[in-house]
Amino acid sequence: MRLATVSLSLLCCIAPLAAQTPAQSIDWDSLGAETVRNLSAYLAVNTTNPPGNELAAARFLQQLLAKEGIEAQILDTTELGPGRANLYARLHTAGGKKAIALVNHLDVVPVTPRFWSVDPFSGAVKDGYVWGRGALDMKGEGIVQLMALIALKRSGVALDRDIVFIGNADEEVGGNGAVVFVQRHADLLQDVEFLMTEGGDNLVDHGRLAYYGVGVAEKRTFWQKITVRGVASHGSRPTKQNPVPRLIDALHRLAHYEMPLHVTPGVAKYFHDIAPQYTGRQRVWLSDVATALKQPAARAWITDNVYWNAVLRNTISLTVLSASNKTNVIPSEASAEIDIRLLPDQDTVAVRAELVRVVADTAVHWETMYPPKAPLESPIETDLFRAIVRAAHERDPEAQVTTPMLTGATDRPTYRALGIVTYGFDPFKTEEADAQHGVHGNDERVGVANVAFGVHYLFDVLRYVQ
Ligand SMILES: [Zn+2]
């Protein structure tokens, strides 16, 4: 069934090999409508985190699966606390290949209802959209994953890989749901080769598809707190023991330090893939970004883009400052919190040593605020990546399928640490403006047509990776 020997560029022109399979018997219009109804009902389950209340969401999904004869387990209720849970289900197959996991989070971020034009927990369907907190992040994708799995079971398509479905608590606050799941149930993941979850946007800019994005890598947060101690006294008599000027000197050095540029494999592919959207020397530069960064003009142009700059180096943002709380008091201590984000292949010990060298002041005390997560960089040459390319090109033959690095953080590293190839995959084609305003903002919504598109797209990806 697979087209391993055919070049990817040809795939879009070949009639689907599955033409005779029962998959063709699916009525996609009615499955799309069913997916919209389920999403609408799911958005009405309020899982604002804190406190989370993911147990209600887990029960809702469990009952949808039960109707299809798929047993789902509610897990980790004791470990996660009152009203909280993870969910696990598996579509068993007769095939001998390794499993693929679909992972979503059950919680959502808080809302400020007065800024919304609909009740954010009504699951309103109007003007061609499903509205509600979680429509994009990420109950919409969770329902699409669930319905694609159900559609595969209903269709009777022969599968070689078990399909695992996991709903996690607490992604939006501590990521504790995924951490507890991996700690307690590594056995359930033992045969999982591939995992798909949020973190790979298909970018639509003013109605024009820019690319299909597969998230193969994300940056690691490596937040630092630096502190200088001094002696408290009256502000009317300046002293050498005021810790504030010394902290400012340290921050000044960090603010003006340029972290070295470094091209990782997924980022090189991303620039190469988007190069045809540019002309002239910009196209040449992007097609080989590592070489271009050695030229001052190219380097200046590329690093002027805040996203491009952030995926080409470790970054430092000075954010929180604390010292005296009164104008006439010299404080006994001054501190700053620094948002540092590392490329996935960086060594935390070496980076910390580099920063200490830049600051060059032994009076500055360093503290790593949270233990950094495992690095996330998954390989690109895989059966899953090829399946995504095939399904995407069937829909948009000219589209690039590329690998933009996420500068934020997801639960993916928690699973990647088990050796699972972990991709960010978004089943929707989301307008940049909707993503920008809706995700963690107001009036979060996903198009009805987009939901129907997403469930068919993911269904095909899962079929092609068999
Ligand atoms: Zn999310």
Side-chain angles (χ1 to χ4, degrees):
M1 291 286 286
R2 286 192 296 122
L3 291 172
T5 57
V6 180
S7 82
L8 294 173
S9 60
L10 288 175
L11 290 176
C12 61
C13 313
I14 294 172
L17 287 185
Q20 302 86 16
T21 73
Q24 298 303 306
S25 67
I26 291 175
D27 176 345
W28 288 106
D29 287 344
S30 103
L31 189 80
E34 184 183 357
T35 307
V36 166
R37 282 196 303 279
N38 286 338
L39 175 57
S40 167
Y42 187 31
L43 292 176
V45 181
N46 185 340
T47 53
T48 300
N49 186 11
N53 195 33
E54 296 94 341
L55 180 58
R59 287 199 176 119
F60 174 85
L61 299 176
Q62 182 187 42
Q63 146 257 320
L64 287 180
L65 289 162
K67 276 196 254 170
E68 307 292 324
I70 301 166
E71 189 205 340
Q73 298 172 45
I74 290 177
L75 301 171
D76 309 324
T77 47
T78 308
E79 290 73 14
L80 293 171
R84 314 202 72 175
N86 288 320
L87 183 76
Y88 167 84
R90 179 180 286 249
L91 184 61
H92 292 276
T93 62
K97 288 194 187 170
K98 290 190 154 190
I100 179 163
L102 308 174
V103 175
N104 58 88
H105 59 83
L106 307 170
D107 59 325
V108 296
V109 294
V111 293
T112 313
R114 70 174 186 278
F115 295 131
W116 285 61
S117 50
V118 297
D119 173 352
F121 298 102
S122 65
V125 182
K126 68 171 184 115
D127 304 335
Y129 287 87
V130 190
W131 303 68
R133 172 58 85 222
L136 291 170
D137 182 17
M138 73 171 287
K139 284 178 168 168
E141 179 166 357
I143 282 289
V144 162
Q145 291 176 346
L146 180 125
M147 292 306 293
L149 179 146
I150 286 173
L152 281 167
K153 176 151 197 283
R154 288 179 187 167
S155 74
V157 172
L159 299 173
D160 283 332
R161 298 178 184 274
D162 282 9
I163 299 179
V164 171
F165 179 88
I166 297 169
N168 282 134
D170 197 42
E171 192 276 340
E172 295 289 4
V173 177
N176 204 30
V179 169
V180 167
F181 188 93
V182 164
Q183 276 171 0
R184 299 193 69 230
H185 311 292
D187 54 318
L188 298 175
L189 299 164
Q190 218 166 28
D191 67 333
V192 174
E193 180 176 10
F194 297 122
L195 186 148
M196 301 161 88
T197 186
E198 65 185 346
D201 292 350
N202 308 318
L203 190 69
V204 179
D205 189 8
H206 295 91
R208 190 186 140 272
L209 178 73
Y211 54 73
Y212 284 87
V214 182
V216 299
E218 73 181 39
K219 295 191 80 178
R220 295 165 86 190
T221 54
F222 187 50
W223 293 353
Q224 300 291 312
K225 180 173 182 181
I226 63 173
T227 305
V228 179
R229 299 200 173 94
V231 178
S233 58
H234 199 288
S236 66
R237 297 181 184 184
T239 70
K240 295 242 179 335
Q241 287 80 41
N242 183 349
V244 177
R246 205 148 181 180
L247 179 74
I248 289 173
D249 285 347
L251 294 175
H252 181 81
R253 288 181 206 114
L254 288 171
H256 293 275
Y257 179 60
E258 281 215 30
M259 298 290 261
L261 292 160
H262 174 65
V263 183
T264 54
V267 168
K269 174 173 164 50
Y270 162 75
F271 281 113
H272 181 85
D273 289 343
I274 65 169
Q277 297 172 20
Y278 294 79
T279 55
R281 61 180 191 163
Q282 293 176 345
R283 178 185 288 199
V284 176
W285 289 342
L286 295 181
S287 65
D288 181 359
V289 77
T291 301
L293 289 174
K294 295 177 187 134
Q295 305 168 32
R299 188 167 60 236
W301 178 68
I302 291 166
T303 57
D304 193 44
N305 177 308
V306 293
Y307 172 68
W308 291 354
N309 178 62
V311 298
L312 284 166
R313 55 171 29 127
N314 304 325
T315 55
I316 303 174
S317 284
L318 307 181
T319 51
V320 178
L321 299 176
S322 327
S324 179
N325 59 1
K326 205 159 181 304
T327 310
N328 61 359
V329 173
I330 291 172
S332 56
E333 189 174 284
S335 66
E337 292 174 20
I338 309 168
D339 185 350
I340 295 170
R341 308 275 172 149
L342 305 184
L343 293 169
D345 61 355
Q346 299 292 292
D347 174 40
T348 53
V349 175
V351 171
R352 169 79 165 261
E354 181 186 359
L355 297 172
V356 168
R357 180 183 58 74
V358 169
V359 166
D361 184 349
T362 52
V364 174
H365 174 78
W366 290 79
E367 182 191 341
T368 299
M369 295 172 65
Y370 302 99
K373 287 186 184 176
L376 176 81
E377 181 141 46
S378 283
I380 300 168
E381 292 294 325
T382 66
D383 284 346
L384 178 56
F385 200 94
R386 286 183 280 274
I388 294 169
V389 170
R390 179 177 167 193
H393 280 172
E394 281 178 357
R395 287 153 176 82
D396 294 282
E398 306 298 326
Q400 286 291 348
V401 181
T402 192
T403 51
M405 182 186 285
L406 194 70
T407 58
T410 69
D411 276 343
R412 293 179 296 171
T414 307
Y415 290 97
R416 178 67 183 139
L418 294 177
I420 300 170
V421 172
T422 302
Y423 286 165
F425 173 89
D426 183 348
F428 307 128
K429 291 182 188 176
T430 307
E431 261 298 337
E432 203 176 0
D434 277 343
Q436 191 70 35
H437 301 135
V439 174
H440 294 206
N442 306 314
D443 278 345
E444 188 175 350
R445 63 181 192 172
V446 60
V448 165
N450 224 347
V451 173
F453 170 89
V455 71
H456 196 170
Y457 174 41
L458 178 57
F459 177 95
D460 282 345
V461 170
L462 294 172
R463 205 157 52 103
Y464 296 157
V465 75
Q466 297 300 318

